[in-house]
Amino acid sequence: MNDKTIQITITDEDIKNYKRLDAFLADKIEGLSRTLIKKLANDGHLRSNDKFELKKMPKAGTILVFSPPEMQETELIAEDIPLEILFEDEFLIILNKPAGIVVHPAPGNYTGTLVNAILFHCKDLKGIGNEKRPGIVHRLDKGTSGIMVIAKEQKTHEGLVNLFSKHDIERKYEAICLGSKLPQKQTLESLIGRHPNNRLKMTTNISNGKKAITHMSVLEEFERFTHVELKLETGRTHQIRVHLSELLNSPILNDPTYGRTKEEQRFFNKALKDLIGPYDHPFLHAKVLGFIHPITKQKLHFEQKPPKIFTDTIEILRASY
């Protein structure tokens, strides 16, 4: 056994208090969750002097030996990229992502991402699984600004994943979209899946996909555009962008993938052309994030105003249309 090996002897009291071995171990060994215990057991890091099953407690006197794997340093590069941090503790970090930054390294974007920045900033990362990296629970598209939460360790990551999967989390966005006279309130519901002819896009025009629900309400109307708020019930890839474009025929302003950028530019006055011309991101902002902290049970709620170009565009629309 090495100096990190943990040996546990099952007692009658343990059997009285726990029905499952994985739940017992998750409580006894810091940093382990039931999901991670299953993986590590399958990989040979949990041994015993007798047969055992994770779904039930073994008999009293059973000796369990847990040898944690060595934490692997990530191959991702830590980079000193400024972060606007809204909240941080030893378990997670909440920040305001600017438009134009990719969340996770991928082909074409191996550096300069949010993960690269987190690796530099968070010296206390405990890692996910056996890799020292941040836990990405949800993503914002490169062009979307707004609030994100990122886990620093395994149990927090799994807790946040559970909150998102059960939709037990508050998420609100705001957007400027093409078109006017939209319903003041409407629930947009469809299946969403990968576009059959363009793998970079999602679509509602499919027979098989994942259920997607967006609650839309109008904040302010202009002659050719509408400022809307969107509350997510589900969180599918490109959900808001696809729903506004395909279900309401009102794509988000300046959206190069789902929008009608040439059409909308015909309605720009000089002030809008000068402001938006050099900008190449959709006008979509994640403004509210609220949830119960999976570890401390603290109620967390954050609201962030959209970037200046967003509010400046609203002011021009309000004054000119």
Side-chain angles (χ1 to χ4, degrees), residues 124-141:
D124 60 343
L125 275 182
K126 293 181 180 177
I128 307 301
N130 66 330
E131 185 180 357
K132 194 173 181 180
R133 61 176 177 84
I136 302 300
V137 184
H138 65 130
R139 286 177 170 83
L140 296 180
D141 297 333

Side-chain angles (χ1 to χ4, degrees), residues 9-152:
T9 301
I10 301 297
T11 67
D12 290 325
E13 188 71 15
D14 297 331
I15 295 172
K16 179 181 177 181
N17 293 330
Y18 292 90
K19 293 182 178 180
R20 294 176 60 111
L21 178 58
D22 53 3
F24 167 75
L25 292 173
D27 280 352
K28 292 295 182 182
I29 305 175
E30 183 181 0
L32 287 190
S33 65
R34 286 164 58 175
T35 301
L36 185 55
I37 287 167
K38 180 179 179 180
K39 180 182 184 303
L40 294 176
N42 290 336
D43 292 342
H45 293 283
L46 182 64
R47 305 185 308 278
S48 174
N49 64 339
D50 201 351
K51 292 182 179 180
F52 66 89
E53 295 180 33
L54 293 177
K55 293 182 179 180
K56 64 181 183 181
M57 288 295 289
K59 64 185 180 181
T62 300
I63 299 173
L64 299 166
V65 178
F66 174 65
S67 301
E70 293 294 327
M71 182 64 69
Q72 301 295 317
E73 291 294 332
T74 181
E75 294 181 356
L76 302 174
I77 302 169
E79 295 181 78
D80 188 4
I81 300 169
L83 292 173
E84 184 181 349
I85 298 169
L86 307 179
F87 175 87
E88 183 177 6
D89 63 12
E90 63 183 295
F91 305 106
L92 54 80
I93 182 170
I94 297 172
L95 47 84
N96 184 33
K97 183 187 92 68
I101 186 170
V102 174
V103 171
H104 198 282
N109 292 284
Y110 285 112
T111 61
T113 74
L114 199 61
V115 166
N116 297 112
I118 294 291
L119 286 169
F120 181 90
H121 172 80
C122 297
K123 309 302 184 185
D124 60 343
L125 275 182
K126 293 181 180 177
I128 307 301
N130 66 330
E131 185 180 357
K132 194 173 181 180
R133 61 176 177 84
I136 302 300
V137 184
H138 65 130
R139 286 177 170 83
L140 296 180
D141 297 333
K142 177 181 179 180
T144 303
S145 59
I147 308 174
M148 282 191 66
V149 57
I150 297 171
K152 292 184 177 182

Side-chain angles (χ1 to χ4, degrees), residues 178-197:
L178 177 64
S180 58
K181 299 182 180 178
L182 300 181
Q184 290 299 303
K185 291 184 180 294
Q186 184 167 342
T187 295
L188 308 173
E189 185 171 352
S190 73
L191 297 179
I192 282 183
R194 191 69 58 182
H195 196 290
N197 301 321

Side-chain angles (χ1 to χ4, degrees), residues 174-215:
E174 59 181 293
I176 304 171
C177 59
L178 177 64
S180 58
K181 299 182 180 178
L182 300 181
Q184 290 299 303
K185 291 184 180 294
Q186 184 167 342
T187 295
L188 308 173
E189 185 171 352
S190 73
L191 297 179
I192 282 183
R194 191 69 58 182
H195 196 290
N197 301 321
N198 185 341
R199 303 304 294 172
L200 298 178
K201 295 179 65 174
M202 307 298 285
T203 183
T204 62
N205 298 316
I206 52 170
S207 56
N208 292 307
K210 293 183 178 180
K211 186 177 181 181
I213 302 174
T214 308
H215 303 284

